[in-house]
Amino acid sequence: MKRIAIAALLTTSAVLSAHAEGVTVDALLKQGFEVKAAIPSNAGPGLVLQKGDAVFMCFVAETKTSGDIATQYCKPVH
């Protein structure tokens, strides 16, 4: 039980510190988050990323001339 509580605390700390620094899809994937869903929206394609109890909703955008698909913003889901 202690291990679960410690893991939850570390995950929460990692998520909060990532949020403070500007979260990107790439940063969340590097932290072990997984893409759970993708949805179309007026804000650009949306991605739902999850790691344990932590869930983020991110929106991305691209153009025909862009070299990559860039994260517009990510927000935690509560």
Side-chain angles (χ1 to χ4, degrees), residues 35-46:
V35 176
K36 295 295 184 174
I39 59 166
S41 79
N42 291 336

Side-chain angles (χ1 to χ4, degrees), residues 1-77:
M1 196 66 160
K2 278 186 176 181
R3 287 183 181 168
I4 293 171
I6 291 171
L9 179 61
L10 291 174
T11 299
T12 302
S13 296
V15 169
L16 292 176
S17 66
H19 186 61
E21 296 172 11
V23 179
T24 65
V25 172
D26 188 49
L28 291 172
L29 291 172
K30 288 178 181 176
Q31 290 181 32
F33 280 77
E34 296 179 355
V35 176
K36 295 295 184 174
I39 59 166
S41 79
N42 291 336
L47 299 173
V48 178
L49 292 98
Q50 181 178 9
K51 179 180 176 184
D53 291 340
V55 178
F56 275 79
M57 183 73 193
C58 300
F59 292 91
V60 298
E62 60 89 28
T63 65
K64 289 181 182 181
T65 60
S66 62
D68 58 2
I69 296 175
T71 302
Q72 296 301 304
Y73 62 91
C74 292
K75 294 185 178 184
V77 177

